[in-house]
Amino acid sequence: MASNFAARANQALMQSSPKWRLAIWLLLMLSASLWTLQLWQNGARVQSDILAMLPHLQQDKLTERALNQVEATLADQVYIALVAKDETKAISAAKLLMQKLEADLVARGKQGALTDIRSADIQLGEALGQFYFPHRFKLLTAPQAEALASQNIESLIEAATAQLYNAFSYANSNLLAQDPLLLFPANLLTLAPSSKVRASQGILLANQGDNVAAVVMAKGRESAFNPNAQLAQMTALTQGLDAVKQSYPDITVLKAGALFHALAATQTAKSEISILGLASLLGVIALVWLAFRSVMPLLLAIVTISSGLLLAVTFTLSVFGELHLLTLVFGTSLIGIAIDYSFHFYCERLSDTERSAKATVAYIFPTVTLAFITSALAYVGIGLAPFPGMQQVAIFCAAGLLGAYLTLILAYPLLAGSRLPAGSRPLALAGTYLSSLTQLSKRFTTPLGMGMFALVILVWCLVGVTKLTVDDDIRHLQQSPASVTEPENQLRQLLSGGTDNQFLLVRAPSEEALLQQLERVSPMLNAAIANQELGNYVSLSRYLPSHRKQDTAYHLQGEIYQTQIDTVLTSLGLDENLKPELQAAYLAAKTEYITPAAFFTLGAGKQLAPLWLAPNEANSPAGNGQLNDDGASAEHGADQGADYGADYGAIVLLGGIQQIDALKARFAHDESVQLIDKVADISAVMGHYRLLTLKLLALALGIALLLFSLNFGFKKAAVVVAVPALAALLTLATLGLTGSPLSLFHALALILVFGIGIDYSLFFASAQNHGKAVMMAVFMSACSTLLAFGLLAFSQTQAIHYFGLTLSLGIGFTFLLSPLILTTTQALTNNQLLTTKKS
């Protein structure tokens, strides 16, 4: 069936005019060019966000919203530490930097790259004091609550007396008249999280050995992974830091934030695109020139590659609306594959110089078509991975192969019509190599030779595969250079561990239940800190006591204002006339509570609003995490009132995590508390798809065997499929022997080993009397592919390195094994002839 279809298609091609074919090809290329230009003008862009390659996790709505909140809050933050030998100089340098960044923001207005420029908030304590003081009867520290519960009011009186005679006390007559035991100041101090940092003159300070570091923070207006935003943010920072360096030359600068990782990734990707792509292109040009010694094959090779790249970009932008930089890095390998069709065409022409270009295309059409289909299916296999970036690679390379294939079928019959100069030497070398390989293979046809060969392969595969380890960690997608990670680690230490990507999501059916859950979780986290599992955490429980806790504090303070008020006033020497006012104020506070809605209108509350997740966006006091100046939600209108389920949720940020497994164990049996670890979740997904991809490879081998059986018969088809299968197995064994861990990117590369290896096998299986031409074409094809993928193995990005290394090994093994198909198929043919004669 397949052969009949190919024959009919080939006959139709032979009957068509080369001029009409070229006209159709030119029309296609022109249409693709105009459409691509239109896409760029309509907003298509190059994407450099490494996170865009990550798989999409299937989460419930509240968890998904929490992940979005945390990413939106933390993703675009920039931290700068100015380290000096004395505090005064550090503060002055920080003020100068903030002044320069704010001046840039004012000058550019809405185009300003960095917003929310800040350090310490000197008005925060005053604002919190004004907010919480009316609710002082609902607040108690743990020691105060314990003293009142045990009716040990004398200890509170003694503490208040000590404060009255303390020269540095915060007590004054106005405070004493409203809070005679001075309970409120201690409660206000508990709102400040314990930290190594301190504030002075509005600047956040931390000690670094004998030096002092002043910390300045800002938030990018746009994503740090947007190349244009990167440039704008780095320009603003550079100008500000240059001004600091001019005034304070001995200042040391530490930087942290996604911006610097994204910038390093962008620079690496751009560098690799130019270097690897250029090296691959030059290598292909050199191959073509050395083999054919003619300008026309060189020009057509460039035309083939260009048309492939054009269709690759067109299809990718049409499907995704953007082109990832890593897609372009992977896409450089397209150069080494798309050119294969040109190699096969010209090698066939060298073997029969009397044959026309049109007849040569018709001769190789069935094999090239089958090779294109199998390679395209291999890329489709890559597209099944849950990575948008890898799906782009699949579309990019499959479309690129289509462009090269159409160029061969439609443009070569007319454009490649000129005769080639004598090319006997390359063919002779290919023939000599093939002959030597044939002689060598005959030694393995004996029982002893076959046994030894099989034993070596078996031992190699068994030992190598058993040594294979697995690594699905997504952090290996991109490893930032030490120049980025080392300053960031130092700055994290200054900020008491900073904030990690992992966090707790606490959920409950009501607002009050959620606040009580947070109060239950905090002691568990304090225990984790004491056990050195965790460095710090940020929870709303510090700022929003539950109604139950507030009621408890209120009833305990009844001991002061209803039972012991006379004793308190007398012991402290206060006017007895204060009693009615204090009791009236106490009674009036009974129905007044600290609420999330009121807290989130504060400046501090707005900063913490992203940690609060109400079930309905429109009714949430925190919105989707970002509040406008009037406290209203800044969520996009399309999401207002969206259904996020019936549960309330709260995020607890974690920092300085040392033992993630121990933390998970603390909440393993608590359904209301979930430790969200996106890195681990995505890594688990990668492991799942790694196994799925290997199963897909096995399925592809089975489908190929069935497909080729229709064309070649089962025995010959089994030999054709056995070569890429054995090459993949040997590749896995070699990875195990060299200690390279197995990841999804190795598995994806093996899919391509199959797709490309099948091409080599098919051409040898169809070689008939043109073995030398096929050998030369496969040699050139393997060289060009190894140039492309071999260079990818030197990439600084681990994922690309794994991809390139696996393909280099796989193609190398396929190149060594595929010529044996010629010997094997000839032996099968001879056996069939002998069987026919005997019958």
Side-chain angles (χ1 to χ4, degrees):
M1 183 184 298
S3 57
N4 291 337
F5 174 78
R8 288 196 297 271
N10 200 5
Q11 184 178 4
L13 282 172
M14 286 296 293
Q15 293 174 354
S16 61
S17 167
K19 291 183 179 179
W20 275 108
R21 289 200 215 177
L22 182 62
I24 293 172
W25 178 80
L26 289 173
L27 183 61
L28 285 174
M29 293 302 114
L30 179 61
S31 300
S33 301
L34 293 175
W35 178 244
T36 303
L37 183 61
Q38 180 71 18
L39 289 172
W40 282 117
Q41 291 178 343
N42 289 340
R45 62 195 179 101
V46 174
Q47 171 67 269
S48 66
D49 186 353
I50 190 69
L51 299 177
M53 283 197 72
L54 300 182
H56 300 300
L57 296 175
Q58 297 298 320
Q59 304 278 11
D60 64 84
K61 292 181 179 180
L62 189 64
T63 303
E64 183 179 356
R65 185 176 162 210
L67 283 166
N68 293 336
Q69 295 279 75
V70 172
E71 288 178 7
T73 303
L74 301 179
D76 301 320
Q77 293 287 344
V78 175
Y79 303 87
I80 305 293
L82 304 172
V83 184
K85 292 183 178 180
D86 63 86
E87 183 174 308
T88 303
K89 185 177 292 184
I91 291 175
S92 300
K95 288 183 175 180
L96 177 59
L97 177 59
M98 293 176 68
Q99 178 186 343
K100 293 296 181 182
L101 294 179
E102 287 168 353
D104 178 80
L105 180 61
V106 171
R108 297 177 181 269
K110 292 184 178 180
Q111 303 302 318
L114 295 170
T115 64
D116 194 19
I117 301 154
R118 65 198 186 282
S119 187
D121 189 351
I122 57 177
Q123 298 179 338
L124 177 62
E126 182 180 348
L128 289 176
Q130 291 176 353
F131 175 75
Y132 284 105
F133 190 74
H135 303 285
R136 61 192 178 278
F137 301 107
K138 299 289 182 71
L139 297 173
L140 284 176
T141 65
Q144 290 170 353
E146 184 179 352
L148 289 174
S150 61
Q151 297 184 345
N152 185 17
I153 199 168
E154 289 79 10
S155 63
L156 298 179
I157 293 173
E158 290 175 5
T161 303
Q163 285 295 322
L164 289 175
Y165 294 100
N166 188 337
F168 300 98
S169 172
Y170 33 70
N172 57 58
S173 58
N174 185 44
L175 179 60
L176 282 168
Q178 300 178 77
D179 181 21
L181 287 179
L182 301 176
L183 302 181
F184 179 71
N187 283 277
L188 192 60
L189 287 175
T190 62
L191 297 177
S194 57
S195 176
K196 299 176 184 178
V197 298
R198 63 186 190 279
S200 178
Q201 301 181 42
I203 301 298
L204 198 64
L205 300 174
N207 292 330
Q208 188 188 49
D210 296 332
N211 298 326
V212 177
V215 181
V216 175
M217 296 164 281
K219 185 174 179 65
R221 188 183 295 275
E222 297 181 66
S223 170
F225 296 101
N226 181 316
N228 294 330
Q230 287 175 17
L231 179 61
Q233 291 174 28
M234 281 306 300
T235 299
L237 280 174
T238 301
Q239 291 175 351
L241 291 173
D242 285 346
V244 170
K245 279 290 186 181
Q246 288 178 2
S247 301
Y248 307 97
D250 57 342
I251 286 283
T252 301
V253 178
L254 301 178
K255 304 174 185 176
L259 170 65
F260 308 107
H261 292 275
L263 189 65
T266 302
Q267 291 173 344
T268 298
K270 287 181 177 179
S271 173
E272 290 180 356
I273 288 170
S274 57
I275 294 174
L276 301 184
L278 180 62
S280 180
L281 186 60
L282 291 176
V284 168
I285 291 173
L287 272 175
V288 174
W289 178 257
L290 290 173
F292 306 119
R293 304 285 180 169
S294 175
V295 174
M296 185 52 70
L298 192 58
L299 292 177
L300 277 182
I302 295 173
V303 168
T304 304
I305 294 171
S306 301
S307 59
L309 291 175
L310 174 60
L311 282 194
V313 172
T314 301
F315 274 73
T316 305
L317 292 180
S318 298
V319 174
F320 298 98
E322 62 182 19
L323 191 61
H324 202 288
L325 276 175
L326 288 183
T327 301
L328 292 175
V329 175
F330 278 109
T332 59
S333 62
L334 179 64
I335 296 172
I337 303 174
I339 199 65
D340 289 359
Y341 302 141
S342 183
F343 289 158
H344 284 290
F345 172 84
Y346 275 108
C347 288
E348 286 297 336
R349 290 213 67 189
L350 276 180
S351 67
D352 189 351
T353 55
E354 298 301 320
R355 184 189 290 150
S356 67
K358 181 179 178 181
T360 303
V361 169
Y363 177 78
I364 66 173
F365 173 77
T367 308
V368 168
T369 301
L370 198 55
F372 164 69
I373 292 172
T374 52
S375 296
L377 287 175
Y379 282 117
V380 169
I382 287 181
L384 295 178
F387 290 77
M390 295 312 296
Q391 290 165 357
Q392 279 197 26
V393 170
I395 295 292
F396 187 92
C397 292
L401 280 183
L402 176 62
Y405 173 77
L406 291 176
T407 301
L408 172 69
I409 302 303
L410 299 177
Y412 273 50
L414 188 61
L415 296 182
S418 59
R419 292 183 177 274
L420 290 172
S424 56
R425 180 170 175 75
L427 281 175
L429 290 173
T432 302
Y433 174 79
L434 189 60
S435 177
S436 301
L437 201 62
T438 303
Q439 293 298 323
L440 180 63
S441 66
K442 286 180 180 179
R443 297 182 183 180
F444 295 113
T445 57
T446 64
L448 178 62
M450 290 181 65
M452 291 296 294
F453 180 74
L455 181 62
V456 171
I457 295 297
L458 182 62
V459 171
W460 188 350
C461 292
L462 282 177
V463 174
V465 171
T466 54
K467 285 182 174 292
L468 267 178
T469 57
V470 173
D471 182 8
D472 297 312
D473 196 331
I474 64 162
R475 285 169 289 197
H476 292 159
L477 282 175
Q478 177 69 47
Q479 292 180 322
S480 298
S483 59
V484 173
T485 57
E486 288 180 2
E488 180 171 271
N489 290 335
Q490 293 181 45
L491 188 47
R492 285 176 65 88
Q493 291 301 317
L494 291 176
L495 298 176
S496 303
T499 302
D500 293 322
N501 292 321
Q502 297 88 352
F503 61 91
L504 291 181
L505 174 60
V506 183
R507 63 180 75 209
S510 67
E511 182 175 286
E512 172 64 13
L514 179 59
L515 294 174
Q516 292 182 23
Q517 289 280 35
L518 288 172
E519 290 168 355
R520 183 178 60 82
V521 167
S522 292
M524 300 172 71
L525 293 175
N526 291 332
I529 292 175
N531 204 35
Q532 296 184 344
E533 300 167 12
L534 182 67
N536 60 78
Y537 67 93
V538 178
S539 174
L540 287 171
S541 65
R542 187 186 300 274
Y543 305 93
L544 293 173
S546 64
H547 283 200
R548 182 178 67 180
K549 186 175 182 180
Q550 293 181 62
D551 284 338
T552 301
Y554 182 81
H555 291 305
L556 286 174
Q557 290 198 48
E559 179 72 14
I560 302 172
Y561 297 103
Q562 291 184 325
T563 307
Q564 300 287 343
I565 185 63
D566 294 324
T567 303
V568 169
L569 294 176
T570 303
S571 300
L572 296 174
L574 298 177
D575 189 349
E576 292 183 359
N577 293 328
L578 293 175
K579 178 179 176 179
E581 295 180 10
L582 287 170
Q583 289 182 326
Y586 172 79
L587 293 173
K590 183 176 183 179
T591 57
E592 297 297 323
Y593 290 94
I594 300 167
T595 63
F599 176 73
F600 291 134
T601 61
L602 294 176
K606 291 179 182 179
Q607 294 179 19
L608 294 170
L611 305 183
W612 184 263
L613 306 171
N616 191 305
E617 282 283 326
N619 299 326
S620 168
N624 194 38
Q626 299 298 327
L627 297 181
N628 298 322
D629 292 337
D630 59 358
S633 171
E635 174 64 6
H636 296 297
D639 290 335
Q640 289 288 348
D643 180 14
Y644 287 97
D647 281 351
Y648 281 78
I651 296 166
V652 180
L653 299 178
L654 307 176
I657 296 175
Q658 300 296 325
Q659 301 178 47
I660 185 69
D661 292 335
L663 271 179
K664 288 181 178 179
R666 287 183 180 273
F667 304 103
H669 304 292
D670 192 338
E671 295 182 356
S672 63
V673 183
Q674 181 183 2
L675 197 154
I676 306 295
D677 186 355
K678 189 175 181 179
V679 171
D681 291 342
I682 295 177
S683 296
V685 171
M686 287 184 67
H688 169 73
Y689 278 93
R690 169 179 48 79
L691 291 173
L692 184 62
T693 303
L694 292 176
K695 292 177 182 178
L696 178 66
L697 176 59
L699 178 63
L701 289 169
I703 294 174
L705 178 61
L706 179 62
L707 181 64
F708 298 156
S709 295
L710 300 175
N711 196 47
F712 299 120
F714 179 78
K715 290 184 178 179
K716 194 172 182 179
V719 173
V720 172
V721 173
V723 167
L726 185 57
L729 195 58
L730 288 171
T731 300
L732 287 174
T734 305
L735 291 172
L737 291 171
T738 56
S740 179
L742 185 64
S743 70
L744 174 61
F745 293 94
H746 292 93
L748 292 173
L750 287 176
I751 292 283
L752 277 191
V753 169
F754 159 74
I756 299 169
I758 282 291
D759 288 1
Y760 299 169
S761 299
L762 283 173
F763 278 103
F764 274 112
S766 307
Q768 298 176 3
N769 297 322
H770 297 274
K772 291 190 294 185
V774 173
M775 186 69 249
M776 179 181 171
V778 168
F779 171 76
M780 295 182 67
S781 173
C783 285
S784 62
T785 305
L786 286 172
L787 268 173
F789 292 122
L791 290 172
L792 288 183
F794 292 99
S795 172
Q796 296 179 38
T797 304
Q798 201 78 340
I800 299 177
H801 164 75
Y802 287 158
F803 196 84
L805 176 64
T806 307
L807 269 163
S808 298
L809 289 172
I811 296 304
F813 286 126
T814 305
F815 171 74
L816 293 174
L817 294 172
S818 57
L820 300 179
I821 291 177
L822 198 57
T823 306
T824 308
T825 53
Q826 287 175 353
L828 288 174
T829 303
N830 292 335
N831 289 336
Q832 288 176 354
L833 290 174
L834 287 174
T835 303
T836 304
K837 286 181 180 180
K838 288 180 181 180
S839 61

